[in-house]
Amino acid sequence: MVTIKDIAKAANVSVTTVSRALNGYDDVNEKTRQRIKDVAEKMQYSPNMTARRLVTNKSSTIGLLTSSSFPSNPKDTFTMDVISGVNEYASCADYDMILFQSEFAKRQGKTYHQLCSERQIEGVISQGLAHDDAFLQQMEESSVPCVFIDHPGENETTSFVSADNAAGAREAVRHLVSLGHREIAFINGDDEAYISLERMKGYKEGLQEAEIAFNEKKVRLAYFNEEEACARSIELLEEFPEITAVFCSSDLMAMGVMRAAQQLGYELPDELSVVGYDNLVISQYTTPALTTVHQNKYKMGNTAAELLINRLQGKETKTRVIIPGSLLVRKSTCPPRR
Amino acid sequence: MVTIKDIAKAANVSVTTVSRALNGYDDVNEKTRQRIKDVAEKMQYSPNMTARRLVTNKSSTIGLLTSSSFPSNPKDTFTMDVISGVNEYASCADYDMILFQSEFAKRQGKTYHQLCSERQIEGVISQGLAHDDAFLQQMEESSVPCVFIDHPGENETTSFVSADNAAGAREAVRHLVSLGHREIAFINGDDEAYISLERMKGYKEGLQEAEIAFNEKKVRLAYFNEEEACARSIELLEEFPEITAVFCSSDLMAMGVMRAAQQLGYELPDELSVVGYDNLVISQYTTPALTTVHQNKYKMGNTAAELLINRLQGKETKTRVIIPGSLLVRKSTCPPRR
DNA sequence: AACATAATCCGAAACGTTTTGGAAACAATG
DNA sequence: CATTGTTTCCAAAACGTTTCGGATTATGTT
């Protein structure tokens, strides 16, 4: 491996000068800088990150903490988008991204602190952890900077990026209302997570705009689970046969609802309109194709990385960012016909 | 940060001894070792990987080179599985995995060599690159050890893991034959990539077993592309209306075929049976749910990491591994009714 | 007791960078 | 000429670990 020393020898200068020339300091003559650069190029020099990291005491490594999914499930495409977003920003900024999958880590009995200190992680982004995941708490308490996706930290030092969940839900309801629906049920994830609360807010706002009374009995929790959503929506539809549309807080739950509807013999979308949330890849492929609220997951990851890395570099930076989304109308919604 | 020096001071020994105690060398008294371990634990010591890496001259980092997908598509779940498999093995073996997404890298004008040398990558796993991707060539020429997933290297130094593609295709055809199909078309990816050739082999074998003549006109190439598969299968079905089943070399192409069938007014699966390949998450969610050949993508990633890391550690290891798959019968196949 | 062997420990060098504090050379100013 | 300032360079220390070669002590053998 060719080192800075070799360059120094070849260019007949000191290692200091090579280092400073290559790193763009201005206390080196432009002529020598060019000579050094040429030599470096010719010798195919590339700096040893490890050495650099050691002396600067920065690992230039961030962690992306996600819930591991095994076996694979539709949510993977969400995660994958976020990964891409984080990874691209990080690599452009000369950071390494390493992946922590929460279940794997826990299975190995690692605490969050261990995870970070073993790898000298400088900062962490979390995505897709359950709102009561122990790691979230530990992240907030930890001294390593972090940014949460879809989870507002409780203290002020943590950053946060999310989609505009309330607006998305409102759009979804508006769309249903505009089609003529008045009996719109809501399958929410839970009643604690940030996104659930926001989407509930949007749902209520949407109803209010249309002067439809909110009825808490027409809201069920399915914990972002497809089976659960199927079961809950069967109960719901049997109890309130007047329901003509159901809005779901995730595409996965919407899958469950569509399955339920089929089991109950409803014609989709005519006898029941369904709206999802997330725009997972899968939602394009169901029949009928799912109307859903698109979230720019890549952008969320990208932005999270930006906030984190800015912070690590001591730059002034925003601490909370909301990424706009948009309703994607497909085939699972139409005017009520019943 | 607490270093080995601090431990040395606290335990009243030299740094050498701390290092050797913690790393399990046998020239340190068990009593002192225990004392040192206790102190280290109490002081929450965790070794500085960067320093270790510098002195051992090993980055303990492997790269996973995949094709980047943006916008997201169904194949992401494949990639995600592989990532999980690689990542888990790597992290257990104390390696870092970093992700290279080929399009991003190319957009930045990076050569494969740069990618590796910038990060001091010790070895690389590739997955999902097109068989004519320039990086594949560069990988083989490079001196950094690599293992290909689904791509048999030309020279002997590269390792290789794949699924049993021929067997999978054969199973698929057998299944169709057992249902009573005799007119079985094949939408293949291309006629060059390893997996395409293997699946073609399996397809032919399957036909031969059933004493069905192979007809090359009933094979079309769709380059693993959904639209393409849709178009090709429309041509195919119009030209050969006697076809009652089509086997596809990927689930994505099977989606295209199902769409084509619907456009042509076929009743699925009664009037046309469709079999895919991959078992992407999406294939559970189509109507009818897709019969497909399952590939253990997680295992493939895991095994690739195992081969690579064994090699990096100088261990004796296999150089090519075939992971078994299995046919997953769902709802897109049934006896021919036409 | 004398010696050989084994067990246990340690000092110092090394890994490839960055950075500090200053030196040397030269130019500009009084 | 003496002084000050500027430009350009460099020696050496530092980062936290591993490892080489040897030193010291304890144990066993005659």
Side-chain angles (χ1 to χ4, degrees):
Chain A
M1 193 183 39
V2 31
T3 77
I4 217 172
K5 271 187 198 165
D6 304 320
I7 309 293
K9 211 167 288 172
N12 210 33
V13 291
S14 74
V15 290
T16 307
T17 306
V18 176
S19 173
R20 298 185 76 79
L22 262 24
N23 290 319
Y25 285 75
D26 61 0
D27 66 346
V28 29
N29 187 299
E30 273 312 320
K31 259 180 162 166
T32 40
R33 185 199 304 278
Q34 203 48 57
R35 182 159 46 93
I36 290 171
K37 274 190 170 173
D38 290 348
V39 172
E41 179 129 5
K42 200 170 301 159
M43 298 179 74
Q44 290 209 55
Y45 169 75
S46 87
N48 185 318
M49 288 296 169
T50 311
R52 176 179 292 171
R53 286 170 181 183
L54 179 60
V55 62
T56 58
N57 197 25
K58 306 184 74 203
S59 67
S60 298
T61 303
I62 62 173
L64 174 55
L65 180 57
T66 74
S67 66
S68 30
S69 65
F70 193 71
S72 36
N73 76 52
K75 250 251 159 179
D76 288 354
T77 60
F78 193 123
T79 307
M80 192 65 214
D81 270 6
V82 173
I83 291 177
S84 291
V86 173
N87 195 47
E88 205 198 2
Y89 192 94
S91 74
C92 288
D94 272 314
Y95 274 74
D96 284 353
M97 177 199 84
I98 87 177
L99 211 57
F100 297 130
Q101 301 184 281
S102 64
E103 273 81 30
F104 292 165
K106 282 175 187 159
R107 179 140 34 93
Q108 290 174 49
K110 307 242 177 189
T111 67
Y112 176 74
H113 175 78
Q114 278 177 304
L115 239 38
C116 291
S117 60
E118 277 176 359
R119 298 300 200 200
Q120 264 83 40
I121 296 294
E122 285 189 53
V124 177
I125 296 170
S126 87
Q127 183 275 320
L129 300 192
H131 74 277
D132 55 353
D133 190 304
F135 277 157
L136 283 180
Q137 187 68 26
Q138 295 177 34
M139 280 176 79
E140 282 208 82
E141 287 161 359
S142 161
S143 63
V144 356
C146 63
V147 10
F148 294 116
I149 293 179
D150 283 345
H151 178 264
E154 289 179 7
N155 74 57
E156 289 306 305
T157 72
T158 59
S159 314
F160 163 65
V161 1
S162 189
D164 195 341
N165 292 283
R170 206 168 45 220
E171 280 305 314
V173 174
R174 273 185 195 157
H175 165 66
L176 290 168
V177 168
S178 78
L179 289 171
H181 293 275
R182 306 286 300 172
E183 289 290 343
I184 302 170
F186 181 30
I187 305 282
N188 203 356
D190 54 59
D191 52 5
E192 298 186 69
Y194 168 77
I195 57 171
S196 298
L197 298 176
E198 287 293 301
R199 290 174 194 176
M200 173 61 109
K201 205 171 97 189
Y203 168 70
K204 285 183 179 171
E205 286 169 4
L207 292 183
Q208 195 166 13
E209 280 177 14
E211 296 179 340
I212 301 171
F214 169 74
N215 179 348
E216 65 175 355
K217 295 221 165 125
K218 290 177 184 161
V219 175
R220 299 290 155 101
L221 307 182
Y223 305 97
F224 300 104
N225 180 290
E226 184 178 346
E227 310 306 322
E228 195 80 13
C230 182
R232 290 298 83 71
S233 55
I234 288 180
E235 295 169 11
L236 194 61
L237 292 168
E238 284 177 341
E239 192 173 342
F240 302 101
E242 69 271 26
I243 288 172
T244 60
V246 13
F247 167 52
C248 302
S249 201
S250 82
D251 285 350
L252 208 48
M253 294 193 292
M255 301 296 132
V257 173
M258 293 210 282
R259 199 144 49 80
Q262 270 151 1
Q263 281 177 27
L264 294 176
Y266 282 74
E267 199 70 39
L268 288 181
D270 302 76
E271 299 183 324
L272 190 74
S273 285
V274 179
V275 180
Y277 212 112
D278 284 346
N279 189 23
L280 299 183
V281 168
I282 198 191
S283 62
Q284 304 165 46
Y285 289 90
T286 52
T287 27
L290 187 66
T291 294
T292 187
V293 180
H294 171 75
Q295 304 203 56
N296 195 335
K297 299 153 283 255
Y298 174 88
K299 185 86 177 291
M300 282 162 67
N302 211 254
T303 306
E306 184 187 348
L307 295 195
L308 184 61
I309 289 176
N310 275 344
R311 193 129 71 91
L312 295 180
Q313 296 178 335
K315 289 183 198 156
E316 194 73 22
T317 186
K318 290 211 182 101
T319 169
R320 19 182 65 224
V321 175
I322 300 296
I323 312 281
S326 57
L327 184 74
L328 225 56
V329 178
R330 295 208 186 90
K331 304 291 186 192
S332 67
T333 47
C334 70
R337 295 208 192 90
R338 235 190 313 150
Chain B
M1 193 184 34
V2 31
T3 78
I4 216 173
K5 270 186 199 164
D6 303 322
I7 309 294
K9 212 167 289 172
N12 210 33
V13 290
S14 74
V15 290
T16 307
T17 306
V18 177
S19 174
R20 299 186 74 79
L22 260 26
N23 290 318
Y25 285 75
D26 59 1
D27 67 344
V28 27
N29 187 298
E30 274 311 321
K31 258 179 162 168
T32 42
R33 185 197 305 278
Q34 204 48 58
R35 183 159 45 93
I36 290 171
K37 276 190 168 174
D38 290 348
V39 172
E41 178 128 9
K42 201 170 301 158
M43 297 178 75
Q44 290 209 55
Y45 169 75
S46 88
N48 184 320
M49 287 297 168
T50 310
R52 174 179 293 172
R53 286 170 181 184
L54 180 59
V55 63
T56 58
N57 197 26
K58 308 183 73 205
S59 68
S60 298
T61 303
I62 62 174
L64 175 53
L65 180 56
T66 73
S67 66
S68 29
S69 66
F70 193 69
S72 35
N73 75 53
K75 249 250 160 178
D76 288 355
T77 59
F78 193 124
T79 306
M80 192 65 215
D81 269 7
V82 173
I83 291 177
S84 292
V86 173
N87 194 48
E88 204 198 4
Y89 192 94
S91 75
C92 287
D94 271 314
Y95 275 73
D96 283 353
M97 178 200 84
I98 86 177
L99 212 56
F100 297 130
Q101 301 184 281
S102 63
E103 274 80 31
F104 292 165
K106 282 175 187 159
R107 179 141 34 92
Q108 291 174 47
K110 307 242 178 190
T111 67
Y112 176 72
H113 174 76
Q114 279 177 304
L115 238 38
C116 291
S117 61
E118 277 176 0
R119 299 300 199 202
Q120 265 82 38
I121 296 294
E122 286 190 53
V124 177
I125 295 170
S126 87
Q127 183 275 321
L129 300 194
H131 73 278
D132 55 354
D133 191 304
F135 277 157
L136 282 180
Q137 186 69 25
Q138 296 177 35
M139 281 177 78
E140 281 207 82
E141 287 160 1
S142 162
S143 62
V144 355
C146 63
V147 11
F148 294 117
I149 293 179
D150 283 346
H151 179 263
E154 288 179 7
N155 73 57
E156 289 306 304
T157 70
T158 58
S159 314
F160 164 66
V161 2
S162 189
D164 196 341
N165 292 282
R170 206 168 45 223
E171 280 304 314
V173 174
R174 272 185 194 154
H175 165 65
L176 290 169
V177 167
S178 78
L179 289 171
H181 294 274
R182 306 287 299 173
E183 292 289 343
I184 303 171
F186 180 29
I187 305 282
N188 203 356
D190 53 60
D191 51 5
E192 299 187 68
Y194 167 79
I195 56 171
S196 299
L197 299 176
E198 287 293 301
R199 290 173 195 176
M200 173 60 107
K201 206 171 96 188
Y203 168 69
K204 285 181 178 171
E205 289 170 1
L207 293 183
Q208 196 165 12
E209 281 177 13
E211 297 180 339
I212 300 172
F214 169 72
N215 180 348
E216 66 175 354
K217 296 222 166 128
K218 289 177 186 160
V219 176
R220 301 290 155 102
L221 306 182
Y223 304 96
F224 299 106
N225 180 290
E226 184 178 346
E227 309 306 323
E228 196 80 13
C230 182
R232 292 296 83 73
S233 55
I234 287 180
E235 293 169 12
L236 194 62
L237 292 168
E238 284 177 341
E239 192 174 341
F240 301 102
E242 68 271 26
I243 290 171
T244 59
V246 12
F247 166 51
C248 302
S249 202
S250 82
D251 285 350
L252 209 47
M253 295 193 292
M255 301 297 131
V257 173
M258 293 210 283
R259 200 143 48 81
Q262 270 150 2
Q263 281 177 28
L264 294 175
Y266 282 75
E267 198 69 40
L268 287 180
D270 301 76
E271 298 184 321
L272 190 75
S273 285
V274 179
V275 180
Y277 212 110
D278 286 344
N279 189 22
L280 298 183
V281 168
I282 196 191
S283 62
Q284 305 165 45
Y285 288 92
T286 53
T287 24
L290 186 66
T291 294
T292 188
V293 181
H294 171 75
Q295 302 202 58
N296 196 335
K297 300 151 286 255
Y298 174 89
K299 186 87 176 292
M300 284 163 64
N302 211 255
T303 306
E306 185 187 348
L307 295 194
L308 183 61
I309 289 174
N310 275 344
R311 193 128 72 88
L312 295 180
Q313 295 178 335
K315 289 185 199 156
E316 194 73 22
T317 185
K318 290 215 184 98
T319 168
R320 21 183 62 226
V321 175
I322 300 296
I323 312 280
S326 58
L327 183 73
L328 226 56
V329 178
R330 294 208 186 90
K331 303 291 185 191
S332 67
T333 48
C334 70
R337 297 209 191 89
R338 234 190 315 147

